[in-house]
């Protein structure tokens, strides 16, 4: 089977996602890589005669159609004769939750909640709304500019927390915005993770509350491995457990080649039998939040009460970033192996 990458684009109306996907399909298709596009399901539902008069009914149908389309396209991608296949999704199942007030009712109707839906996408790229001067309506885009901004806020409410969310800010031109989107996708497809890791003072979560952080509990266990770092992770959030298997081979202090996949609980339990006996399981609370268009992950550990980690994935090692004023940095530990989770797991803390 082909190696499949599932990359979703979302954003406020008129944010440029559909136009970006059309260009991405051409730019990423080559002799060894197939490209598939999962179009926005809402158009199909409207064509079938459904209206937005009752958003719960409408979005339920959109979500069901989206799931059906995604599942069919995923089978085609896996059966590609090429080595790789990329699926670009124009919106996601997760989007549907942003449009309804009764999210529990939607989850019950489609058999999955917000956190469950995240596992359908390896990465989600959210495009920021354009400036007012660049906004325009069409026959299918009925929202005015103020409504579009409200849609953006609701989307952020359901997207923040995804393990691999990217936020692309608006630029002076669509070409610049597209270049940022393409750079993010290049990073995903390369398999290389460039991470800025900061040791910070224990945060005041009351002050960070305005960023609406999403909390997940993580249990991370390292396995016996001859090359690199092999680990399994249980990520629990909103009553949903998701299991990951990750192999990392470090290239530089802050850059590593990473292969990560979502696995079943059965596979997770089986791999735990190969846990490295010299290392203990790392337990931490992870808080995900956006600041100035940057997606931060703040990790608090059960063995520290005076410090924590703040992490940010970057497109390049010289990528500039800004920090929330509430964060007090002790030092940059991106290249210090003493602060790698793998190393900490071997200490008696």
């Amino acid at each position: 089977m082909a190696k499949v990458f599932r990359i979703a684009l979302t954003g406020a109306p008129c944010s440029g996602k559909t136009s970006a996907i059309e260009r991405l399909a051409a730019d990423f298709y080559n002799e060894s890589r197939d490209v598939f596009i999962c179009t926005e399901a809402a158009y199909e539902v409207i064509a079938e005669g459904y209206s937005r008069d009752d958003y719960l009914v409408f979005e339920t149908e959109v979500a069901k159609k989206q799931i059906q389309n995604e599942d069919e396209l995923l089978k085609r991608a896996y059966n590609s004769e090429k080595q790789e296949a990329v699926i670009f999704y124009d919106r996601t199942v997760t989007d549907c939750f942003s449009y309804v007030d009764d999210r529990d009712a939607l989850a019950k109707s489609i058999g999955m909640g917000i956190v469950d839906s995240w596992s359908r996408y390896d990465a989600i790229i959210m495009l920021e709304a354009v400036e007012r001067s660049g906004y325009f309506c069409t026959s299918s885009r009925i929202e005015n500019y103020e409504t579009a901004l409200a849609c953006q806020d609701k989307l952020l409410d359901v997207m923040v927390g995804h393990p691999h969310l990217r936020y692309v800010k608006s630029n002076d031109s669509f070409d610049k915005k597209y270049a940022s989107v393409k750079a993010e996708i290049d990073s995903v497809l390369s398999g290389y993770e460039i991470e800025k890791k900061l040791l910070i003072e224990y945060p005041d979560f009351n002050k960070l509350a305005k960023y609406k952080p999403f909390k997940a509990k993580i249990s991370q266990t390292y396995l016996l491995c001859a090359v690199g770092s092999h680990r399994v992770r249980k990520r629990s959030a909103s009553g949903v457990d998701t299991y990951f298997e990750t192999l990392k081979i470090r290239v530089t202090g802050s850059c590593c080649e990473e292969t990560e996949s979502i696995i079943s609980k059965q596979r997770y339990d089986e791999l735990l039998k190969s846990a490295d006996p010299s290392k203990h399981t790392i337990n931490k609370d992870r808080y995900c939040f956006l600041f100035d268009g940057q997606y931060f992950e703040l990790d608090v550990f059960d063995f520290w009460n005076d410090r924590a980690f703040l992490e940010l994935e970057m497109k390049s090692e010289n990528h500039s970033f800004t920090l929330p004023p509430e964060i007090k940095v002790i030092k940059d530990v991106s290249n210090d192996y003493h602060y790698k989770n793998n190393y900490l797991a071997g200490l008696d803390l």
Side-chain angles (χ1 to χ4, degrees):
M1 294 191 298
K3 181 178 181 179
V4 177
F5 297 90
R6 305 166 303 165
I7 302 175
L9 273 72
T10 188
C14 201
S15 58
K17 55 181 180 55
T18 303
S19 298
I21 286 175
E22 292 172 356
R23 288 180 61 173
L24 290 169
D27 286 347
F28 282 94
Y29 179 87
N30 58 40
E31 293 182 354
S32 61
R33 182 191 295 134
D34 240 337
V35 173
F36 299 87
I37 297 177
C38 188
T39 57
E40 189 171 347
Y43 295 120
E44 295 182 67
V45 173
I46 291 172
E48 291 173 1
Y50 288 91
S51 74
R52 293 186 173 95
D53 293 339
D54 186 327
Y55 262 101
L56 181 57
V57 172
F58 180 78
E59 292 301 331
T60 298
E61 293 304 315
V62 172
K64 289 178 178 178
K65 177 63 70 174
Q66 183 76 22
I67 292 168
Q68 177 185 337
N69 292 347
E70 289 181 2
D71 290 348
E72 291 175 356
L73 206 56
L74 189 61
K75 290 179 182 178
R76 289 177 55 195
Y78 276 126
N79 289 326
S80 170
E81 295 181 356
K82 298 189 177 183
Q83 296 175 358
E84 290 183 359
V86 180
I87 305 175
F88 291 118
Y89 301 84
D90 192 338
R91 293 205 181 280
T92 68
V93 177
T94 314
D95 285 59
C96 299
F97 288 94
S98 72
Y99 288 96
V100 301
D101 295 323
D102 193 343
R103 293 172 179 175
D104 289 337
L106 176 57
K108 185 177 181 180
S109 296
I110 65 174
M112 74 177 71
I114 293 172
V115 175
D116 297 296
S117 70
W118 289 343
S119 65
R120 303 178 69 85
Y121 317 101
D122 299 313
I124 295 179
I125 300 174
M126 183 167 176
L127 280 64
E128 186 177 57
V130 298
E131 298 295 327
R132 183 185 295 273
S133 60
Y135 189 84
F136 61 93
C137 295
T138 66
S139 58
S140 58
R141 184 184 298 136
I142 61 174
E143 301 88 352
N144 60 30
Y145 187 67
E146 286 70 23
T147 306
L149 291 182
C151 288
Q152 177 170 275
D153 290 340
K154 291 178 179 178
L155 277 169
L156 286 172
D157 190 44
V158 299
M159 295 295 174
V160 171
H162 187 281
H164 298 289
L165 177 66
R166 302 289 184 272
Y167 189 86
V168 176
K169 300 185 72 174
S170 283
N171 291 288
D172 296 334
S173 69
F174 175 73
D175 286 342
K176 290 183 179 179
K177 193 174 192 178
Y178 176 76
S180 296
V181 171
K182 187 174 182 299
E184 294 289 1
I185 294 173
D186 281 331
S187 177
V188 173
L189 298 185
S190 72
Y192 286 94
E193 178 189 61
I194 302 174
E195 184 179 77
K196 177 63 67 175
K197 189 172 192 176
L198 303 173
L199 183 68
I200 63 172
E201 294 180 5
Y202 197 91
D204 184 337
F205 285 103
N206 290 325
K207 293 181 178 179
L208 292 176
K210 62 185 177 183
Y211 303 123
K212 299 180 180 179
F214 180 90
K215 179 182 177 181
K217 286 190 169 295
I218 292 176
S219 178
Q220 191 163 294
T221 303
Y222 288 90
L223 311 177
L224 293 168
C225 182
V227 179
S229 169
H230 191 192
R231 75 182 188 210
V232 288
R233 171 184 286 177
K234 175 182 176 183
R235 190 177 194 264
S236 304
S238 301
V240 177
D241 296 334
T242 309
Y243 303 91
F244 299 86
E245 178 183 3
T246 306
L247 177 63
K248 283 188 175 185
I249 299 175
R250 192 152 298 280
V251 179
T252 67
S254 60
C255 176
C256 60
E257 184 176 357
E258 178 178 286
T259 303
E260 182 175 86
S261 57
I262 297 176
I263 59 176
S264 66
K265 184 180 185 304
Q266 181 180 3
R267 168 72 174 168
Y268 173 78
D269 290 337
E270 186 66 28
L271 286 171
L272 282 179
K273 297 176 182 178
S274 300
D276 188 336
S278 67
K279 298 178 180 179
H280 60 82
T281 295
I282 294 285
N283 295 304
K284 56 187 176 183
D285 290 339
R286 169 163 289 177
Y287 297 83
C288 305
F289 64 93
L290 277 171
F291 173 76
D292 194 26
Q294 304 156 116
Y295 193 50
F296 289 101
E297 295 176 336
L298 195 162
D299 288 346
V300 175
F301 299 83
D302 56 4
F303 48 78
W304 282 341
N305 59 14
D306 61 342
R307 69 193 87 172
F309 286 143
L310 185 70
E311 300 179 359
L312 172 68
E313 286 192 24
M314 304 183 298
K315 294 188 287 291
S316 62
E317 295 202 45
N318 58 0
H319 180 76
S320 61
F321 62 95
T322 56
L323 296 176
E326 297 81 7
I327 296 295
K328 306 301 179 185
V329 176
I330 299 173
K331 61 178 176 177
D332 185 337
V333 296
S334 303
N335 298 312
D336 190 338
Y337 78 93
H338 294 97
Y339 292 96
K340 305 299 181 188
N341 284 286
N342 197 354
Y343 178 81
L344 295 175
L347 301 179
D348 185 16
L349 297 171

